[in-house]
């Protein structure tokens, strides 16, 4: 196998691996929450009543292992743990924005009031996700 073939095999393997971990149930919602300043375990559970603490714990561990998030434990009484996106995780902002943008465009509305709301939502998402 030549270097070019090896390179493309690695690219496709990495793409598949990325889809594998992003495609797991609740992963995108967790990442979205982190962009929206949801940083504590209990906040994720409150935001998503269908999310179990077991699955949340698994996803957070997986995302930490992949270098998408970091975990910070504050030594206070009582101590608390917060999760933050790493530089690598912050690079997912465009993917998250495109998914939101796609979803907003799928909502079929013609009322002028809601069309303004849709555009305002997109503007706010751009700011929140730091997308130009």
């Amino acid at each position: 196998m030549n270097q070019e073939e090896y390179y493309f095999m690695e690219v496709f393997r990495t793409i598949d691996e990325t889809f594998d971990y992003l495609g797991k149930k609740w992963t995108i919602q967790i990442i979205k929450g982190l962009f929206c300043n949801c940083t504590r375990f209990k906040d994720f559970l409150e935001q998503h009543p269908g999310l179990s603490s077991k699955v949340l714990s698994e996803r957070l561990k997986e995302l930490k292992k992949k270098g998408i998030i970091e975990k910070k434990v504050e030594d206070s009484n009582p101590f608390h743990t917060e999760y933050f996106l790493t530089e690598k995780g912050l690079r997912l902002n465009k993917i998250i924005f495109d998914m939101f943008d796609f979803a907003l465009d799928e909502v079929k509305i013609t009322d002028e009031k809601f069309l303004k709301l849709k555009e305002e939502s997109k503007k706010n998402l751009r700011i929140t996700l730091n997308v130009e």
Side-chain angles (χ1 to χ4, degrees), residues 5-104:
E5 289 171 327
Y6 175 77
Y7 169 76
F8 284 110
M9 280 183 54
E10 282 300 297
V11 167
F12 292 132
R13 183 193 60 73
T14 304
I15 290 169
D16 289 345
E17 183 181 292
T18 302
F19 284 146
D20 282 345
Y21 70 80
L22 288 180
K24 288 186 176 181
K25 190 170 184 176
W26 298 108
T27 299
I28 293 293
Q29 290 89 337
I30 292 167
I31 294 169
K32 173 203 57 128
L34 289 164
F35 273 108
C36 298
N37 296 320
C38 180
T39 60
R40 294 188 180 178
F41 197 89
K42 69 176 182 70
D43 297 337
F44 290 111
L45 294 175
E46 288 172 2
Q47 199 174 66
H48 302 286
L51 174 59
S52 72
S53 57
K54 179 184 176 192
V55 171
L56 175 57
S57 180
E58 288 172 4
R59 294 300 173 268
L60 290 170
K61 285 177 187 172
E62 290 166 357
L63 290 169
K64 186 174 181 287
K65 184 178 177 182
K66 292 291 182 188
I68 302 296
I69 66 170
E70 62 182 317
K71 176 180 174 178
K72 291 185 180 175
V73 179
E74 192 168 303
D75 192 21
S76 59
N77 192 5
F79 80 93
H80 66 270
T81 303
E82 292 185 312
Y83 298 89
F84 300 93
L85 291 163
T86 61
E87 284 298 316
K88 181 179 177 179
L90 289 168
R91 289 178 41 219
L92 292 168
N93 66 338
K94 293 174 190 148
I95 295 170
I96 301 295
F97 176 79
D98 285 341
M99 292 175 85
F100 273 105
D101 191 44
F102 178 84
L104 287 169

